[in-house]
Amino acid sequence: MPNVVIVGMQWGDEGKGKIVDLICPAFDAVARYQGGHNAGHTVRFGEHHFSLRLIPSGILHQGTECVLGNGMVVSPEAFLGERQELRDAGVDDAGRLHLSNRATVLLPPHVALDRAREQARGAAAIGTTSRGIGPAYESKAGRYGLRLADLAADDLEERLEELLGVVRPQLHSLGSDVEPEEVDAAALAERCRAWGEALSGHLADTEQLLNGWLRAGHSVLFEGAQGTLLDIDHGTYPYVTSSSSTAGGAATGSGVPPTAIDGVIGILKAYTTRVGGGPFTTELEDETGRFLRKRGNEFGTVTGRPRRCGWLDLVAARYAQMLNGVTGIALTKLDVLDDLDEIKVCTAYRVGGETVTDLPADRAALDTAEPVYETLPGWGTSTVGTLSFEELPPAARDYVRYIEERLGAPAVWISTGPRREETIARRDLPAYGRLMAR
């Protein structure tokens, strides 16, 4: 059975939640390997609408095991709230929702520090969700953070005092008006112990779980958050997230060997969006950009922030295909382009008078890059709910083929609407068979 990674090929918000939800019945387990509750995955089917932030989309399928891996930063409060929302909606997680005891705990002081920093940056703000993700990863890398296993430690208060010894001076220097109990070790330890008790039924050595399942021949779908261009190493630094959101992060963030991974599905939106600050070469600040935002409902699942919108950027997409080794593409939101007379695609950048086809590492080059476009005809016909590639308008099929040819990977799934059932699955393609064994 194949073990496959789902990864975003842009700056996140590509529609990973829908694709995971769509294909996870073919897998025995879904494992999230990085990020925190700054990543929203939206799933719609029938009249149901779920906005997931921490818990893998596989939770909506009874019998699918769900894992939050060691590479994540987990807010106990956010996890318990999301679990309760799902239970209130009738989702049964009994015995199949597992939290890595090695995952880092995201605490209120991390949130306070994140907010204070963003406020202090003013116009130069990175555009974080202010959920505490970055500071939590800092505490992990600085080796003063807590893991979920530590919530029951005898010396919990002493460990928290060490963490607060780092955070308090920064909050003070930033002029933060944080609540006293958020930076009091004794009060925080009491809350942590309560969280530890509430989470105890979910905590597990998930590395052992996942590798045991693999040895038994079970298949795992690895779910990434954010997107390739937000990866801490490979993204448009410093406007990135704090974890490895590329496919390589699946191994380190879950504890399975790289040799266990058989394929990578890249999620690519038919145009491009970005939330927060940072370079965005194909951004449209005109009527077309506003049309894409409205038609595509481009507002953050977690924050509600309007997303910046622009044409498809193949320079960035080729980079993502290379880094992740994408073996099949899920092309999302094709239907959003239905009413456009023409569609532009960025094939190169103009930087300092030169044409470049590879994504520059230099921040100044990205800030000043100008897009080189090719223009394709629109199709002027609704594709909403289309379930067969052959039934798409000819110009829409040409647009899909154009992307496939330039990325060297087939579009195995094509989303023609927000709901689970509004998806073309191209089962005739050899890539589909390689990625989906069942």
Side-chain angles (χ1 to χ4, degrees):
M1 300 300 179
N3 302 301
V4 175
V5 181
I6 289 274
V7 66
M9 295 181 70
Q10 294 156 312
W11 281 282
D13 307 311
E14 301 96 346
K16 294 181 292 297
K18 172 183 174 174
I19 302 301
V20 172
D21 170 69
L22 177 73
I23 68 175
C24 75
F27 297 84
D28 298 300
V30 180
R32 169 97 177 264
Y33 59 86
Q34 46 82 220
H37 65 301
N38 59 334
H41 288 174
T42 300
V43 177
R44 293 187 179 94
F45 55 93
E47 299 305 314
H48 300 283
H49 181 185
F50 295 91
S51 294
L52 303 169
R53 296 168 292 281
L54 277 170
I55 297 173
S57 308
I59 199 67
L60 301 176
H61 295 266
Q62 190 60 42
T64 301
E65 301 283 350
C66 292
V67 171
L68 283 74
N70 58 277
M72 295 184 67
V73 290
V74 178
S75 161
E77 209 164 38
F79 173 85
L80 292 168
E82 186 172 332
R83 185 193 67 176
Q84 191 57 50
E85 289 174 10
L86 287 166
R87 288 180 175 181
D88 290 344
V91 177
D92 181 10
D93 62 71
R96 62 188 188 94
L97 181 55
H98 313 283
L99 270 171
S100 171
N101 50 22
R102 290 180 170 86
T104 298
V105 184
L106 191 155
L107 296 164
H110 293 131
V111 180
L113 184 56
D114 199 359
R115 289 174 178 165
R117 285 175 175 171
E118 282 292 272
Q119 290 171 2
R121 289 186 180 107
I126 290 174
T128 78
T129 58
S130 296
R131 295 284 199 278
I133 309 299
Y137 274 111
E138 285 177 34
S139 67
K140 173 183 178 177
R143 292 167 289 189
Y144 58 87
L146 269 68
R147 291 175 164 188
L148 288 172
D150 299 328
L151 294 176
D154 292 337
D155 61 345
L156 176 60
E157 191 170 328
E158 288 80 1
R159 298 188 193 192
L160 286 168
E161 187 58 53
E162 180 185 0
L163 184 149
L164 291 169
V166 177
V167 173
R168 280 196 207 100
Q170 296 183 61
L171 289 172
H172 178 73
S173 68
L174 293 166
S176 174
D177 56 353
V178 63
E179 294 295 327
E181 62 268 19
E182 291 187 358
V183 290
D184 178 80
L188 193 52
E190 187 175 344
R191 295 177 71 184
C192 283
R193 291 189 182 99
W195 287 329
E197 185 175 344
L199 296 174
S200 60
H202 299 288
L203 292 181
D205 189 336
T206 54
E207 293 91 341
Q208 296 293 343
L209 271 183
L210 287 166
N211 282 286
W213 293 337
L214 294 176
R215 286 193 298 271
H218 299 307
S219 56
V220 179
L221 180 63
F222 297 92
E223 178 183 24
Q226 287 94 31
T228 296
L229 299 176
L230 291 177
D231 185 274
I232 185 66
D233 289 298
H234 305 292
T236 50
Y237 190 87
Y239 298 95
V240 294
T241 193
S242 302
S243 58
S244 297
S245 53
T246 46
T252 55
S254 65
V256 305
T259 51
I261 296 170
D262 303 304
V264 179
I265 299 171
I267 315 300
L268 183 74
K269 196 177 286 185
Y271 49 99
T272 308
T273 62
R274 178 166 199 171
V275 173
F280 185 179
T281 305
T282 65
E283 184 172 12
L284 297 170
E285 299 181 274
D286 58 8
E287 188 59 38
T288 302
R290 289 186 287 274
F291 166 81
L292 291 173
R293 183 179 300 116
K294 182 178 180 181
R295 178 68 182 269
N297 191 28
E298 296 295 353
F299 299 89
T301 300
V302 171
T303 64
R305 291 183 296 178
R307 296 172 185 147
R308 301 156 63 190
C309 298
W311 296 119
L312 179 62
D313 185 341
L314 287 181
V315 176
R318 284 194 300 266
Y319 178 68
Q321 194 280 334
M322 175 189 72
L323 288 177
N324 295 294
V326 169
T327 46
I329 294 168
L331 185 67
T332 61
K333 294 199 171 184
L334 181 69
D335 56 294
V336 173
L337 305 179
D338 284 350
D339 294 333
L340 297 174
D341 294 329
E342 61 179 30
I343 300 165
K344 293 185 178 181
V345 178
C346 174
T347 58
Y349 295 165
R350 291 286 294 174
V351 179
E354 295 184 4
T355 300
V356 300
T357 56
D358 295 330
L359 191 76
D362 181 63
R363 179 176 170 183
L366 281 171
D367 285 338
T368 58
E370 298 178 357
V372 176
Y373 286 122
E374 289 189 18
T375 302
L376 284 72
W379 41 91
T381 303
S382 176
T383 62
V384 175
T386 302
L387 301 180
S388 165
F389 184 72
E390 290 71 26
E391 292 175 5
L392 287 173
R397 294 199 301 269
D398 290 344
Y399 184 67
V400 174
R401 292 188 181 110
Y402 178 92
I403 294 169
E404 291 177 321
E405 289 169 3
R406 279 149 186 81
L407 295 184
V412 181
W413 292 271
I414 303 169
S415 176
T416 57
R419 291 178 171 78
R420 177 196 294 166
E421 53 269 24
E422 295 173 319
T423 310
I424 296 170
R426 300 173 71 189
R427 294 180 174 85
D428 58 306
L429 295 180
Y432 183 94
R434 289 196 297 270
L435 291 165
M436 306 290 291
R438 288 188 249 176

